[in-house]
Amino acid sequence: NDEYRKLNEELKAEWGSCYIDLISYSQMPDGSVRVFTPDNKFISQDCHHLTHAGAQYFATIIDFKSIISE
């Protein structure tokens, strides 16, 4: 949805390096956004909240060391 992409860009601009861009983590090479985890579970059922499986999936692909400094 173009509205989500626009909002995502606005939030990235507003929050800078403090923003975790989940859309970029879930975007496929053709521009579509992944809906299922690799084990075929929903990432989000409402496009606003992560499912348990979605949270686990993002926890495995996000490099938290680059985001959170000690």
Side-chain angles (χ1 to χ4, degrees):
N1 184 320
D2 287 336
E3 288 183 36
Y4 284 118
R5 287 189 179 103
K6 181 180 176 187
L7 175 60
N8 191 57
E9 292 303 316
E10 289 172 4
L11 291 171
K12 280 196 307 189
E14 180 179 348
W15 291 97
S17 64
C18 295
Y19 183 67
I20 300 174
D21 181 5
L22 296 180
I23 290 180
S24 70
Y25 283 105
S26 60
Q27 196 162 22
M28 305 297 285
D30 68 357
S32 63
V33 176
R34 179 184 294 274
V35 177
F36 297 101
T37 64
D39 56 348
N40 299 317
K41 296 181 180 176
F42 274 117
I43 291 175
S44 174
Q45 292 180 328
D46 63 3
C47 298
H48 291 283
H49 304 91
L50 294 174
T51 61
H52 184 78
Q56 288 179 319
Y57 169 69
F58 279 116
T60 64
I61 63 171
I62 295 174
D63 178 14
F64 287 101
K65 289 181 182 179
S66 70
I67 298 169
I68 302 169
S69 60
E70 295 180 28

